Amino acid sequence: MAEAKAENPMREIRVEKLILNCCVGESGDRLTRAARVLEQLTGQEPVYSKARYTVRTFGIRRNEKISVHVTVRGEKALEILERGLKVKEFELRNKNFSQTGNFGFGITEHIDLGIKYDTNTGIYGMDFFVVLGRKGFRVSRRKLRVGRVGKAHKIGKQESINWFQKVYDGIVLNE
């Protein structure tokens, strides 16, 4: 039974999208430079995110642009993910994986990804967040005749850890 499940092409886990987030914490020149770094890395125009509410200790106001993010799909997502995991030496912690089968990690310097250092730009860290999926997940998001993904077809934490270890020969630390 388990072998039949493993061979089913509908159960094949794949990367649906990769989200790169670079939170600067302030609007202005630093945010624009961070957006330029993301555009240089992905070749796509990043989207600016606003603060939800005012936090005086951080010096941010509500609706002030404080971060940039970009969503990458397909082959480009796999290539950027590979570069990001190389920086982390293919080592992630157990808590990097969510219960819904997605995982994320952060890097401290974007120049580790192979982008040349520019004195005008500076150095930015960024978060990588990977959304995993299977064929058939579209039924829950389509416009007409929306359905539900069954419990057996959903991706759990352990399945995503196994996928990461198999595909990238990664190490998951139990901390």
Side-chain angles (χ1 to χ4, degrees):
M1 180 71 185
E3 296 160 7
K5 264 190 173 181
E7 292 174 15
N8 188 343
M10 291 290 284
R11 292 192 56 80
E12 198 174 288
I13 296 176
R14 59 186 179 185
V15 175
E16 290 208 349
K17 60 186 173 181
L18 167 70
I19 298 105
L20 296 170
N21 180 42
C22 188
C23 187
V24 180
E26 62 186 59
S27 58
D29 196 36
R30 279 189 64 208
L31 188 64
T32 313
R33 291 196 305 251
R36 201 175 321 126
V37 166
L38 282 181
E39 192 168 354
Q40 201 176 356
L41 180 63
T42 61
Q44 294 176 214
E45 187 182 334
V47 178
Y48 292 91
S49 300
K50 295 176 179 178
R52 291 187 200 156
Y53 39 79
T54 303
V55 181
R56 294 188 69 178
T57 53
F58 296 148
I60 58 171
R61 292 184 305 278
R62 187 171 186 268
N63 290 333
E64 181 183 9
K65 293 179 180 175
I66 57 168
S67 74
V68 286
H69 68 273
V70 65
T71 302
V72 190
R73 297 171 198 271
E75 288 298 316
K76 194 185 286 183
L78 294 173
E79 186 249 320
I80 295 170
L81 176 61
E82 181 91 29
R83 284 163 52 186
L85 286 170
K86 213 172 275 178
V87 172
K88 297 294 273 184
E89 298 173 350
F90 296 96
E91 272 187 22
L92 293 178
R93 296 167 130 174
N94 196 25
K95 67 180 184 180
N96 287 104
F97 293 86
S98 73
Q99 295 299 323
T100 53
N102 306 318
F103 66 95
F105 59 93
I107 60 167
T108 52
E109 298 179 350
H110 75 273
I111 54 174
D112 294 337
L113 296 170
I115 299 175
K116 202 163 188 312
Y117 175 69
D118 182 19
T119 52
N120 299 332
T121 307
I123 294 177
Y124 292 97
M126 60 185 66
D127 301 319
F128 285 66
F129 195 75
V130 182
V131 177
L132 299 176
R134 286 191 168 120
K135 290 180 180 178
F137 273 25
R138 183 179 165 269
V139 297
S140 64
R141 291 190 295 269
R142 65 188 178 192
K143 195 168 184 178
L144 297 174
R145 293 178 50 188
V146 177
R148 288 201 306 253
V149 176
K151 192 171 184 334
H153 199 61
K154 287 181 180 169
I155 301 172
K157 182 174 183 171
Q158 195 54 49
E159 276 183 306
S160 63
I161 290 172
N162 293 343
W163 175 86
F164 171 69
Q165 290 172 334
K166 190 179 96 184
V167 173
Y168 290 106
D169 292 323
I171 301 162
V172 177
L173 305 170
N174 289 331
E175 290 178 21

